[in-house]
Amino acid sequence: MATKHVTVFDGDDASPEVMVPTVDILRSMELDIEFSYPLIGAAAKTASGALFPSAAKAAIDSADATFFGSTSGDSTAALFYLRWGKQTFANVRPCKWLPGFNSPLASPEGIDFAIVRENLEDLYLGLEGDIEDLAGLNLFSPHARANISDLGPGKYALKAITEAGSERVIRHAFELARQRNGKRKVTVTCKYNMLSVSDGLFLEIGQSIAKEYPDIEFEHFIVDDFLCRMISNPHALDVVVMPNLYGDIMSDGAAGLIGGLGLAPSGCYGADYAYFESAHGTAPDIAGLNIINPTATLLSAVMLLQYLGFAEAASNLERAVKEVYVGGLALTKDQGGSSSTSEFCTAVSTLLRS
Ligand code: ATP
């Protein structure tokens, strides 16, 4: 296998506190991976005058994948490039309870599902503006419950659900259901009753693709009903696919079921590129305290290794993380422990060598 190239962004606020030790662990595994660290944000602005310089873009383009620490403010241009520039349309967020995870549920054993969040469309296109700018468009829909001209001053945001965008992410979900050792089931959820045209299309495409996968069980729920089911019986879920905004919200809720945001990894996949990051943000409120839980970032690194073809290394790293929890060896505050981020990572390193 040829050397793999990974671009790393340590991120902002508390992100470097989990990214730096995770990459140290990856390096210690002596895999044929070269890491590069292009500058973005304020540091890049000082060095080259741009927040997201062409060198950073070129580094992303020439790498096999990116390992991304959550960003805020000036660095978000890199995230936008990784999503819309690299067309990483399927944001896969596994939600798997492991023994030792501090779940609020009485019986979290066996929770193992993945949310596939459409990553590029829906309300995240950034097409927002003044309602009065829509007046001249003469928008008409038989489903409309209000006239634009009657709304008065305010703002709008455009929600777009495209055929191609929906098809590729729903297909990704079905393929994932085939790969997982789980229940071989795909659930589509969105608000297809109130948004019968846009979310209605998403459901329709799901129903149509389901016919191509007779080996995979298919079901669909309106998103509010889905949320109730996700909380009351998460064990029944396998792969759940939904438009962007619902996926953003539901995946934080899913993380809450197993023990919190510190445990939730993610991988964003396109046709020929992928990047990996924790599902959580930069955790600014705990930055500098060395208490942020590195599990989400370590499990994102597991997904990165799987993507790059290092299957054995991926399962070794996952095993080491699991063993920290099983043994209650070095748990961080969010998991009911009193260990630091560094102590958790040292425990993982030690287990990896054993
Ligand atoms: P974003 O909008 O980018 O998702 P956010 O501002 O909504 O970010 P997060 O940064 O994800 O939120 O943090 C939400 C809360 O969860 C904060 O109180 C934060 O400290 C906590 N949190 C997030 N990640 C972790 C972690 N890995 N370990 C411990 N606590 C975390």
Side-chain angles (χ1 to χ4, degrees):
M1 186 162 68
T3 303
K4 298 293 180 184
H5 297 270
V6 174
T7 314
V8 181
F9 297 95
D10 285 340
D12 300 315
D13 302 321
S15 289
E17 295 169 44
V18 284
M19 287 296 290
V20 171
T22 300
V23 176
D24 285 347
I25 288 170
L26 289 175
R27 283 185 193 280
S28 76
M29 295 172 82
E30 295 182 348
L31 304 165
D32 195 4
I33 302 177
E34 269 181 18
F35 298 95
S36 65
Y37 291 82
L39 289 182
I40 54 168
K45 179 99 177 155
T46 308
S48 66
L51 291 171
F52 183 49
S54 52
K57 182 172 171 290
I60 290 171
D61 288 345
S62 62
D64 293 290
T66 289
F67 193 36
F68 196 74
S70 302
T71 51
S72 58
D74 287 348
S75 310
T76 10
L79 177 66
F80 290 172
Y81 183 67
L82 284 165
R83 288 197 181 167
W84 286 274
K86 303 307 286 179
Q87 288 288 291
T88 47
F89 57 85
N91 188 336
V92 178
R93 297 183 156 188
C95 177
K96 183 176 179 179
W97 183 82
L98 298 176
F101 278 10
N102 192 19
S103 167
L105 302 185
S107 307
E109 298 80 10
I111 295 178
D112 180 8
F113 63 96
I115 288 182
V116 181
R117 164 186 169 190
E118 198 291 319
N119 214 25
L120 305 177
E121 303 191 337
D122 192 14
L123 275 161
Y124 284 64
L125 295 171
L127 294 171
E128 300 181 284
D130 294 320
I131 288 176
E132 61 197 31
D133 293 345
L134 300 176
L137 289 178
N138 193 23
L139 288 175
F140 173 77
S141 163
H143 306 273
R145 291 146 211 142
N147 293 316
I148 297 229
S149 53
D150 296 337
L151 286 180
K155 309 289 180 190
Y156 73 87
L158 188 81
K159 173 183 168 92
I161 302 285
T162 71
E163 289 176 14
S166 305
E167 186 175 334
R168 63 188 177 179
V169 74
I170 293 170
R171 209 171 277 289
H172 192 96
F174 275 93
E175 291 297 327
L176 185 62
R178 272 191 178 156
Q179 288 159 23
R180 284 164 55 85
N181 302 317
K183 306 153 195 107
R184 294 174 83 80
K185 179 161 87 169
V186 168
T187 307
V188 163
T189 184
C190 49
K191 194 77 186 172
Y192 47 79
N193 53 344
M194 290 299 282
L195 299 169
S196 59
V197 177
S198 51
D199 284 1
L201 175 66
F202 195 84
L203 172 62
E204 211 176 279
I205 291 172
Q207 289 169 320
S208 159
I209 292 175
K211 295 194 182 104
E212 297 173 34
Y213 292 83
D215 52 318
I216 307 290
E217 186 187 339
F218 176 70
E219 64 183 12
H220 56 85
F221 301 110
I222 295 166
V223 71
D224 35 352
D225 179 23
F226 168 76
L227 176 57
C228 181
R229 288 167 188 270
M230 183 179 87
I231 290 170
S232 54
N233 189 14
H235 302 81
L237 301 171
D238 183 15
V239 178
V240 192
V241 59
M242 61 191 88
N244 208 338
L245 177 63
Y246 311 126
D248 194 356
I249 297 167
M250 293 298 152
S251 51
D252 272 31
L257 290 174
I258 55 166
L261 284 173
L263 308 172
S266 86
C268 298
Y269 303 84
D272 52 14
Y273 202 83
Y275 76 93
F276 300 84
E277 64 170 339
S278 64
H280 62 73
T282 62
D285 52 329
I286 54 171
L289 301 179
N290 196 20
I291 58 168
I292 181 171
N293 188 339
T295 305
T297 302
L298 286 160
L299 295 179
S300 300
V302 169
M303 295 173 80
L304 167 72
L305 292 177
Q306 285 163 346
Y307 177 75
L308 294 176
F310 297 105
E312 193 184 338
S315 66
N316 285 340
L317 180 55
E318 190 176 19
R319 174 191 52 79
V321 173
K322 275 184 191 168
E323 284 176 10
V324 174
Y325 282 94
V326 169
L329 297 179
L331 304 186
T332 47
K333 199 175 162 200
D334 60 305
Q335 297 303 303
S338 56
S339 296
S340 65
T341 310
S342 314
E343 285 164 342
F344 187 105
C345 292
T346 301
V348 171
S349 297
T350 307
L351 288 163
L352 260 181
R353 286 194 299 269
S354 66

